């Protein structure tokens, strides 16, 4: 019987759990179909490697010892979906090049581990006739059609640890500490870490904030004898005035003002109005680093094993998912191009509100 050749790539921002997923797929494929019937081709640096045919056959030993390893052994790169079908200065037809690599590498299928952009390109390749399976990765947890993405819970743990540490210093100095948490479009990470870390104010893109409401929330704390406040701000948060603007106009105005995120502006506003010193902490890429948590190791393993069973059955054009706690899959065409946002009236937001957490609205 001809060997099955499985291409794997990791694309977009890295996160903990990529290696655990790669391991899960590989081990389950070897286990279910036999090591002699499977060849795994590692494609380097995401779709860039697929476009440029940078790929190599991997030794089964390479999938051992990587469960706990952060980052990705395959390397990754951002390759924006909107440019995939555009021929740029280098004159390369990227879609054709990816299909050519698939053929040259004699792949039977391609696994793409990534976030929303990765899934859009995965769907495009599926529509072009390639056998593609997506695996949902991102610390942002914003992939449509899955309860959770791998990498998210590790990032929640890391961000929570940051907030815990900020608490002791904020309390000692009677300061307001604003922590800027990754998440450009969706506020899941800020919401979860904010609640887990006991932030007093949580600011997310899905709930545009009124600086005055945040100032009032801090003043309420001061009145009740609390000398410090912790404000968790999502990287992509914006205020009620910016909410009136189209995304491009918002970006333009921020560029003109020399700011990228709202956090430092908010810090200055709150400091001025309350008279309490406000400082900003940006953990940034630390949130994407480190070893996956136990939760993410298990999730990544479950996702990987599900992908292996899809390969065994020859079911393609899918993205593995968790729906209502059960591992399943969605059609790529049903989820590509959609984002899972926090709904402002969801149970978690309501829970936080009942505790007295302000969302600045
Ligand atoms: O997509 C995950 C993410 O970490 C976002 O939360 C963040 O906005 C973005 O990646 C940062 O990307 P980069 O590392 O390319 O700056």
């Amino acid at each position: 019987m001809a060997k099955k050749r499985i291409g794997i790539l990791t694309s977009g921002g890295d996160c903990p759990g990529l290696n655990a997923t790669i391991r899960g797929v590989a081990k389950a494929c070897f286990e279910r179909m036999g090591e002699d019937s499977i060849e795994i081709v590692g494609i380097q640096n995401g779709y860039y490697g697929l476009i440029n045919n940078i790929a190599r056959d991997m030794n089964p030993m390479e999938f051992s010892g990587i469960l706990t390893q952060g980052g990705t052994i395959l390397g990754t790169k951002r390759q924006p979906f909107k440019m995939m079908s555009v021929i740029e200065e280098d004159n390369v037809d990227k879609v054709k090049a990816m299909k050519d690599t698939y053929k040259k590498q004699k792949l039977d299928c391609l696994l793409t581990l990534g976030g929303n952009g990765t899934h859009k390109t995965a769907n495009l390749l599926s529509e072009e006739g390639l056998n593609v399976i997506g695996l949902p990765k991102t610390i942002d947890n914003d992939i449509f059609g899955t309860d959770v993405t791998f990498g998210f819970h590790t990032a929640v743990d890391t961000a929570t640890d940051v907030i815990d540490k900020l608490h002791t210093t904020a309390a000692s100095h009677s300061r307001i500490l604003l922590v800027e948490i990754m998440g450009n479009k969706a506020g899941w990470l800020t919401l979860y870490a904010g609640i887990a870390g006991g932030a007093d104010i949580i600011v997310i893109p899905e709930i545009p904030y009124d600086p005055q409401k945040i100032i009032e929330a801090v003043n309420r704390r001061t009145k009740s004898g609390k000398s410090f406040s912790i404000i968790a701000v999502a990287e992509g948060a914006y205020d009620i005035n910016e909410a009136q603007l189209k995304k491009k106009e918002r970006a333009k105005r921020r560029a003109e003002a020399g700011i990228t995120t709202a956090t430092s502006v908010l810090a200055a506003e709150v400091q001025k109005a309350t008279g309490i010193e406000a400082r900003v902490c940006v953990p940034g890429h630390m949130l994407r680093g480190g070893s996956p948590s136990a939760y993410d190791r298990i999730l990544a393993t479950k996702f990987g094993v599900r992908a292996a069973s899809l390969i065994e059955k020859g079911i393609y054009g899918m993205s593995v998912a968790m729906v209502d706690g059960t591992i399943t899959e969605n059609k790529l065409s049903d989820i590509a191009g959609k984002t899972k946002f926090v709904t402002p009236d969801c149970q978690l937001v309501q829970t936080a509100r009942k505790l007295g957490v302000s969302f600045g609205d």
Side-chain angles (χ1 to χ4, degrees):
M1 200 177 68
K3 289 189 177 189
K4 220 169 212 176
R5 284 179 64 77
I6 303 166
I8 305 190
L9 62 81
T10 55
S11 175
D14 74 324
C15 77
L18 282 164
N19 292 326
T21 307
I22 293 169
R23 168 187 177 269
V25 174
K27 286 205 172 217
C29 282
F30 294 147
E31 195 62 31
R32 297 175 80 108
M33 293 172 263
E35 222 171 275
D36 296 340
S37 334
I38 299 293
E39 282 168 351
I40 299 189
V41 180
I43 297 155
Q44 282 293 310
N45 296 333
Y47 291 117
Y48 178 85
L50 191 61
I51 294 166
N52 295 289
N53 193 17
I54 310 169
R56 64 179 181 84
D57 283 29
M58 296 179 77
N59 183 313
M61 287 301 287
E62 291 183 72
F63 303 103
S64 288
I66 60 170
L67 173 65
T68 60
Q69 215 175 299
T72 162
I73 57 167
L74 295 175
T76 188
K77 201 170 159 62
R78 291 203 184 275
Q79 195 76 41
F81 169 74
K82 64 176 181 214
M83 299 308 286
M84 279 300 186
S85 306
V86 178
I87 313 260
E88 296 178 84
E89 272 169 16
D90 58 10
N91 231 6
V92 174
D93 180 337
K94 295 185 269 294
V95 176
K96 182 178 178 300
M98 288 191 283
K99 288 165 73 179
D100 286 350
T101 298
Y102 186 95
K103 259 193 215 143
K104 271 184 214 153
Q105 293 291 339
K106 299 190 169 59
L107 298 182
D108 293 292
C109 64
L110 172 69
L111 301 197
T112 61
L113 282 60
N116 280 322
T118 304
H119 275 76
K120 284 194 261 184
T121 299
N123 185 46
L124 182 150
L125 293 176
S126 171
E127 285 171 354
E128 290 285 328
L130 307 192
N131 294 330
V132 186
I133 297 172
L135 286 132
K137 157 246 73 159
T138 166
I139 65 164
D140 294 352
N141 195 32
D142 61 352
I143 297 185
F144 191 83
T146 183
D147 299 347
V148 67
T149 55
F150 62 87
F152 173 63
H153 277 287
T154 308
V156 170
D157 292 348
T158 307
T160 302
D161 189 39
V162 171
I163 297 176
D164 288 350
K165 290 189 164 119
L166 292 179
H167 257 101
T168 56
T169 174
S172 304
H173 283 266
S174 298
R175 281 175 174 154
I176 298 164
L177 282 178
L178 295 92
V179 54
E180 182 177 297
I181 297 176
M182 276 190 172
N184 220 338
K185 292 186 184 143
W188 294 106
L189 184 52
T190 307
L191 177 63
Y192 270 66
I195 292 172
D200 308 299
I201 297 157
I202 297 175
V203 186
I204 58 174
E206 292 89 341
I207 307 178
Y209 67 93
D210 177 349
Q212 202 47 46
K213 299 278 185 199
I214 293 177
I215 291 160
E216 284 166 18
V218 172
N219 285 338
R220 270 198 305 278
R221 278 180 59 78
T222 311
K223 261 197 193 149
S224 69
K226 310 269 174 65
S227 66
F228 74 95
S229 291
I230 303 286
I231 311 181
V233 186
E235 177 191 29
Y238 46 86
D239 69 22
I240 45 173
N241 293 322
E242 289 182 296
Q244 308 301 321
L245 306 172
K246 292 234 163 70
K247 205 176 151 196
K248 268 197 180 155
E249 181 60 19
R250 206 155 60 216
K252 188 171 157 252
R253 293 211 190 166
R254 281 195 180 185
E256 280 163 8
I259 57 163
T260 48
T261 64
T263 324
S264 53
V265 178
L266 181 60
E269 285 173 317
V270 176
Q271 175 170 304
K272 191 164 174 232
T274 62
I276 305 169
E277 190 181 7
R279 295 281 189 90
V280 172
C281 165
V282 185
H285 289 84
M286 266 194 275
L287 300 173
R288 294 225 302 254
S291 176
S293 64
Y295 180 95
D296 271 332
R297 292 179 201 181
I298 294 168
L299 182 69
T301 303
K302 283 178 172 177
F303 279 170
V305 169
R306 184 71 175 200
S309 110
L310 291 177
I311 296 169
E312 192 183 9
K313 293 177 191 150
I315 301 173
Y316 301 114
M318 298 289 175
S319 177
V320 176
M322 185 196 272
V323 178
D324 297 332
T326 300
I327 303 296
T328 178
E329 53 277 331
N330 294 306
K331 278 188 188 159
L332 277 170
S333 55
D334 285 345
I335 60 144
K338 296 182 188 164
T339 304
K340 183 184 74 181
F341 292 108
V342 174
T343 42
D345 60 349
C346 71
Q347 205 176 31
L348 199 52
V349 171
Q350 284 179 26
T351 302
R353 286 194 198 276
K354 282 180 187 150
L355 277 184
V357 171
S358 165
F359 284 83
D361 60 339

